[in-house]
Amino acid sequence: MAHAAGEPLPAAPRESGCQCHRYYPGVRLNEHIGRLQAFAVRPVSSVQLLEPPRGHVALVIGFGDPIRIAPLTTPDTEGTYASFVVGPDHPPLIARHEEGCTWFEIFLSPCTAYELFGDGTQGLDGRVIPLDALFGDTLNRLTEQLIVAASWEQRFALLETTLTQYLDRQPRQVRAEIHWAWHCLEQAGGAMPISELVSALGWSHRHFVRSFQHYTGMTPKVSARHLRLARALACLDQSPEEALAAVALECHYCDQSHLTREFQALAGCTPATYRHQCLGHFLTATPPAARSDFFKTSPAPAA
């Protein structure tokens, strides 16, 4: 089973009324889960968060008041969700919290998402999908059990047990070569030439790209690009005072300008804006305009 209780994270600003806990799954799920966290939000007024893509499929299981979500650049398409899933290459999203809610955020490798849901995750195309469309009655039972659980430790253990059992029952298996290739890209933070993976496997480039995309929903190049962004986000999260030029070097961008261009294209804002206005606290409660002045966004280049 997993480690004991979840590890409390640094508190969010007092006005947000947010508690956050991180959990480390046991060996069985460790290779499948990139991150497992829980949040309990009791805001005194409406708040919102920027959610950039982090290279993993994100499962959010919530109870209490639902979360309102919209792409950053098209807030008129806002939807309301209790539990949902988004792909590893989703557009930057704004998540709005009107009242109190609790949710668990689980980052899965795209390979694990395929084994859990099959082709259900292949058609995400940046959309937010209600999780019950993929989990069915399992989600309803799990949510009921999470609500009545006596502690965070029990809730995390319940999540781990449910995911493990659900995964064990699925007949789908991703090819070992693709698992290996994705793991290499993840460990390298996206900074591994695709040609090295192709050469190590002894496959043709075309066959590798087709197989990788079939199981993960992305080409290797797109996956590497988002994993590199995920590493940059992690650097900013963990070391908010580190110079951006150093972040660029650490995450294998050509220079700070390259980091800024990629960050803005994929995360919806510059690294400086993310650091100063998004990191560690909620954004203004004012809903963003269709083309927000807060973020200077530009569409991501085609893969």
Side-chain angles (χ1 to χ4, degrees):
M1 192 50 69
H3 302 267
E7 172 194 347
L9 297 179
R14 184 175 301 173
E15 64 270 16
S16 72
C18 178
Q19 296 180 358
C20 183
H21 301 268
R22 180 172 292 161
Y23 184 75
Y24 301 98
V27 175
R28 175 66 182 87
L29 277 187
N30 189 53
E31 63 183 277
H32 299 284
I33 290 182
R35 189 170 78 183
L36 173 53
Q37 293 184 155
F39 301 86
V41 178
R42 299 294 181 269
V44 296
S45 61
S46 295
V47 294
Q48 57 187 16
L49 286 165
L50 173 69
E51 298 290 350
R54 295 180 184 263
H56 292 70
V57 173
L59 268 64
V60 174
I61 300 174
F63 49 89
D65 288 326
I67 303 171
R68 300 172 64 182
I69 298 175
L72 176 65
T73 55
T74 55
D76 54 320
T77 61
E78 183 179 80
T80 302
Y81 307 88
S83 301
F84 58 91
V85 58
V86 291
D89 55 347
H90 68 79
L93 302 171
I94 290 291
R96 297 180 60 199
H97 307 273
E98 302 290 346
E99 302 291 344
C101 61
T102 299
W103 76 93
F104 296 84
E105 181 182 72
I106 307 164
F107 284 0
L108 303 175
S109 78
C111 296
T112 298
Y114 179 88
E115 292 179 346
L116 278 172
F117 307 122
D119 293 336
T121 58
Q122 304 302 298
L124 290 174
D125 296 328
R127 295 178 295 138
V128 181
I129 303 297
L131 192 53
D132 55 6
L134 301 175
F135 256 141
D137 290 339
T138 299
L139 176 63
N140 295 329
R141 293 193 297 270
L142 175 60
T143 302
E144 291 173 358
Q145 292 172 317
L146 290 172
I147 291 173
V148 301
S151 66
W152 286 110
E153 181 178 4
Q154 288 185 14
R155 288 176 176 137
F156 281 123
L158 177 61
L159 272 173
E160 181 169 10
T161 299
T162 301
L163 285 173
T164 299
Q165 293 176 346
Y166 195 87
L167 191 60
D168 287 341
R169 291 198 302 267
Q170 304 312 310
R172 296 172 291 273
Q173 294 292 320
V174 173
R175 291 190 62 164
E177 297 91 337
I178 303 302
H179 263 299
W180 173 83
W182 195 88
H183 180 73
C184 288
L185 284 174
E186 182 187 36
Q187 291 299 107
M192 172 175 280
I194 305 305
S195 59
E196 288 188 16
L197 298 173
V198 173
S199 177
L201 290 173
W203 291 4
S204 72
H205 186 274
R206 184 175 183 179
H207 177 59
F208 173 65
V209 170
R210 281 184 172 180
S211 296
F212 192 96
Q213 188 167 18
H214 171 73
Y215 290 115
T216 69
M218 300 177 290
T219 66
K221 180 180 178 181
V222 169
S223 182
R225 192 177 175 210
H226 280 82
L227 286 169
R228 187 158 51 174
L229 173 71
R231 174 165 288 188
L233 286 163
C235 284
L236 293 176
D237 291 343
Q238 295 163 11
S239 304
E241 302 303 321
E242 187 174 2
L244 292 179
V247 173
L249 181 64
E250 182 176 346
C251 298
H252 300 277
Y253 291 96
C254 297
D255 51 30
Q256 184 176 333
S257 294
H258 185 204
L259 166 66
T260 298
R261 290 194 304 272
E262 283 290 278
F263 210 98
Q264 186 160 342
L266 298 178
C269 63
T270 66
T273 296
Y274 179 80
R275 167 179 285 169
H276 295 132
Q277 302 189 45
C278 307
L279 187 58
H281 55 78
F282 292 103
L283 307 178
T284 173
T286 304
R291 200 66 174 175
S292 175
D293 292 333
F294 181 76
F295 297 110
K296 303 299 183 180
T297 58
S298 58

